[in-house]
Amino acid sequence: MANLLILILLALSTLSGNLAGFLSIDCGSSTVYSDEGWIGDEAYIQNGESKRVQSGNSVSQVMDTLRVFSSRNKNCYSLVAKKGERVLVRASFYYGNYDHKSSPPTFALQFDGNPWATVVTSSDLVIYYEAIYAVKGDTTSVCVAQTQANQFPFISALEMASLGSNMYSSLDSNYALFLRRRFAFGANEIIRFQRDAYDRIWVPGVAVNGLIAVTSDALVIDSTAAKDVPPQAVLQNAITTLSTSESIIIGTNLPAVKVLIYINAYFSEVTTLDSTQKRSLEINLDDKPVSNPIVPPYQKVLEVTITNLTASSNNNLSLVATSDSTLPPLINALEIFSISNELTDGTDSNDVGQLGSLQVLYPILRQWGGDPCLPSPFTWDWVNCSTDATPRVTALYLSGFELNGSFPDLSSMDALEIIDLHNNSLEGDIPDYLGTMPNLKQLNLADNDFSGTLPTSISNNKNLKLIATGNKNLCVSGKSCQTSDTNTGNKNLFIYVVVPTFLLVWK
């Protein structure tokens, strides 16, 4: 186990070079490793604090830094992607006792408004989580969110690779794959880029408990027929048993509760068989076949995909020889994933677009990223949302955000029930459309610098509660409300203007 840990640490510290379609972010760092492909994270996140692990806990340059988040419901990295493309995203976490508390935290990991994993960090191990999914927009977000008091989320590295259009396509694009295991059986080291063009991490599957590691005598193994493009390096070795009566038991790392799983198994015969030899096997779950008979080809690879199978850590996955096989079972490589729940399409696109426009206008709001409403309850701190399958933003709470300029355009956010913009520096006219927004019930514009005449659509709306005190230059339609104090000696003069649905106070 110690040797395997060292290999994993070394693998996570070495990147995939300048691979096209690959993004590698060293979180908490501003350094660019042009020769290794890593970049700092300052262009991808607006919040959080950069930290370093304790010097005695260093395992690699990339894992030496992290970004920790002590505020916000969630904090998100936004990565540019191509709509519809399938990507592999990997998030890595190394605590390294950066805070000198010897208390590695637990928190939530999310992507694009979907739950991903509960991150359970370790004092001395690098923990990573990997997801494969089709991107639904022009960007994809990866978020961490606090779930326990005084346990602050952090992240050490974030990587994204663009996959081929046909890869992992046996799964509907409305679902994601969460990696549980990826083995290169019989290998003696971790395999990733450059030997895997997509920088998948293949961990050695060690031959133990009577299993035997074998090496292929084929100089070249043609993998072009395998849609998920296994690298040559994971096909050059395999594990097998001593006899046809013995099976290969696979550790799945599945949770205790049953989940849908997705399996990719790769088979390549290691030598030329004579006419008296036959190797035939099947994949079993709890002694029941879940595959057709498998005959590994020599100098080629056979990929077997099994999907929508329900299993947990209590189930046994094994390879067994079929009754007509003269040779024991063999396997070269294996991937096991759990399948997500159906992916969300996210918050209503009009609302998301309007919030994005607000973030362009007001840089302070750019500290919030990812889906504004999902997953519940991790909404942005200054919005409320409906519970619809496609959520709508129902409230904006932007009091005291030091917003300035004219009133922002919120006209397309027709599900809004509450708009609270009090205690800012907004100025100019109050737009007429606010009085006709179909669901708006509360409008708090107090303590700004609005001027001009209050639209009659607002003053005549008996269903709208308006607070507009503290706007000294704001007038009510049809009323005389000159705000200059003609009695300069009376600095405590108040003018009250009463209309059916609200009270305006000038001082």
Side-chain angles (χ1 to χ4, degrees):
M1 177 60 74
N3 289 336
L4 178 59
L5 170 60
I6 292 170
L7 287 170
I8 291 175
L9 296 180
L10 291 174
L12 287 170
S13 68
T14 305
L15 175 81
S16 36
N18 298 314
L19 172 63
F22 205 99
L23 176 65
S24 302
I25 300 173
D26 182 357
C27 302
S29 173
S30 59
T31 303
V32 175
Y33 314 110
S34 58
D35 57 333
E36 297 179 5
W38 289 98
I39 58 175
D41 69 345
E42 293 177 346
Y44 300 92
I45 192 77
Q46 300 294 315
N47 196 29
E49 186 177 0
S50 176
K51 295 288 186 179
R52 296 189 68 86
V53 303
Q54 288 191 39
S55 58
N57 295 327
S58 175
V59 296
S60 74
Q61 187 173 16
V62 172
M63 291 296 124
D64 281 354
T65 61
L66 57 92
R67 185 170 294 274
V68 63
F69 305 97
S70 57
S71 62
R72 313 283 182 262
N73 277 349
K74 63 185 175 187
N75 288 273
C76 303
Y77 286 78
S78 181
L79 313 178
V80 176
K82 188 180 298 182
K83 186 175 181 179
E85 77 172 334
R86 202 174 299 269
V87 295
L88 180 155
V89 178
R90 183 163 51 240
S92 300
F93 308 88
Y94 179 55
Y95 172 61
N97 201 23
Y98 77 89
D99 56 2
H100 301 270
K101 295 181 179 179
S102 299
S103 182
T106 297
F107 47 89
L109 179 63
Q110 307 158 355
F111 73 98
D112 291 349
N114 300 284
W116 179 351
T118 297
V119 178
V120 181
T121 60
S122 168
S123 294
D124 54 1
L125 298 178
V126 176
I127 306 297
Y128 68 90
Y129 297 82
E130 185 180 296
I132 293 174
Y133 58 92
V135 178
K136 293 194 174 186
D138 297 323
T139 62
T140 185
S141 63
V142 177
C143 310
V144 291
Q146 186 174 358
T147 56
Q148 299 187 40
N150 300 318
Q151 295 195 27
F152 297 128
F154 72 89
I155 186 168
S156 303
L158 183 59
E159 302 165 82
M160 182 177 74
S162 299
L163 301 176
S165 58
N166 294 323
M167 294 178 68
Y168 302 97
S169 57
S170 295
L171 180 71
D172 187 295
S173 61
N174 286 315
Y175 298 85
L177 296 175
F178 299 142
L179 181 67
R180 310 301 303 194
R181 283 278 191 260
R182 182 180 286 118
F183 286 123
F185 291 109
N188 57 14
E189 61 181 355
I190 283 179
I191 295 167
R192 60 181 301 184
F193 190 84
Q194 297 179 352
R195 289 184 290 175
D196 185 329
Y198 301 98
D199 196 36
R200 291 168 291 191
I201 298 175
W202 301 83
V203 176
V206 183
V208 295
N209 299 326
L211 297 177
I212 303 168
V214 290
T215 300
S216 176
D217 59 22
L219 297 178
V220 177
I221 301 174
D222 181 8
S223 61
T224 56
K227 63 181 177 62
D228 293 312
V229 199
Q232 289 275 325
V234 306
L235 304 175
Q236 292 168 346
N237 299 285
I239 57 171
T240 185
T241 63
L242 288 170
S243 70
T244 57
S245 63
E246 296 178 296
S247 60
I248 299 173
I249 307 298
I250 305 293
T252 62
N253 192 35
L254 291 173
V257 296
K258 285 187 177 295
V259 294
L260 286 174
I261 65 172
Y262 184 108
I263 298 173
N264 276 348
Y266 304 94
F267 303 91
S268 180
E269 185 56 72
V270 294
T271 192
T272 302
L273 304 184
D274 63 36
S275 59
T276 66
Q277 295 175 304
K278 180 179 182 179
R279 194 189 306 273
S280 175
L281 61 135
E282 59 190 15
I283 302 173
N284 281 10
L285 185 67
D286 291 340
D287 300 325
K288 295 181 180 180
V290 293
S291 74
N292 294 322
I294 298 163
V295 178
Y298 179 60
Q299 295 182 323
K300 296 181 180 180
V301 60
L302 174 64
E303 176 178 348
V304 176
T305 298
I306 302 170
T307 187
N308 291 325
L309 188 68
T310 302
S312 72
S313 58
N314 296 318
N315 298 112
N316 291 319
L317 187 69
S318 61
L319 306 176
V320 299
T322 57
S323 59
D324 60 343
S325 181
T326 65
L327 296 174
L330 171 147
I331 185 169
N332 303 75
L334 181 75
E335 298 175 286
I336 301 177
F337 303 90
S338 56
I339 300 175
S340 74
N341 294 327
E342 186 171 2
L343 301 181
T344 179
D345 288 329
T347 299
D348 178 82
S349 59
N350 286 330
D351 290 350
V352 171
Q354 194 64 73
L355 293 178
S357 296
L358 286 177
Q359 291 179 310
V360 172
L361 280 174
Y362 310 119
I364 191 173
L365 302 183
R366 298 174 195 170
Q367 297 177 23
W368 286 266
D371 191 286
C373 296
L374 296 171
S376 178
F378 301 104
T379 61
W380 289 359
D381 303 76
W382 44 275
V383 304
N384 275 0
C385 302
S386 71
T387 57
D388 302 326
T390 301
R392 298 297 309 274
V393 176
T394 59
L396 295 178
Y397 297 104
L398 290 170
S399 169
F401 275 72
E402 300 182 358
L403 310 184
N404 54 37
S406 59
F407 197 102
D409 181 11
L410 305 175
S411 58
S412 67
M413 301 184 71
D414 54 14
L416 281 174
E417 299 174 3
I418 298 172
I419 298 175
D420 185 352
L421 295 173
H422 84 275
N423 192 25
N424 285 294
S425 300
L426 296 169
E427 58 188 10
D429 294 336
I430 295 174
D432 181 74
Y433 70 79
L434 291 170
T436 61
M437 293 184 77
N439 295 291
L440 192 61
K441 299 174 183 177
Q442 297 182 39
L443 179 61
N444 190 343
L445 305 179
D447 301 317
N448 279 281
D449 295 316
F450 290 116
S451 59
T453 301
L454 186 75
T456 56
S457 64
I458 296 177
S459 59
N460 292 337
N461 188 340
K462 296 182 180 181
N463 296 317
L464 178 62
K465 179 182 178 181
L466 172 70
I467 304 174
T469 57
N471 291 278
K472 62 182 180 179
N473 295 316
L474 183 64
C475 298
V476 177
S477 178
K479 302 291 183 180
S480 175
C481 50
Q482 183 177 357
T483 60
S484 59
D485 184 0
T486 56
N487 182 358
T488 57
N490 186 356
K491 295 184 180 180
N492 295 316
L493 176 66
F494 287 79
I495 301 175
Y496 294 84
V497 181
V498 180
V499 292
T501 56
F502 59 87
L503 175 67
L504 292 180
V505 181
W506 287 276
K507 184 176 181 179

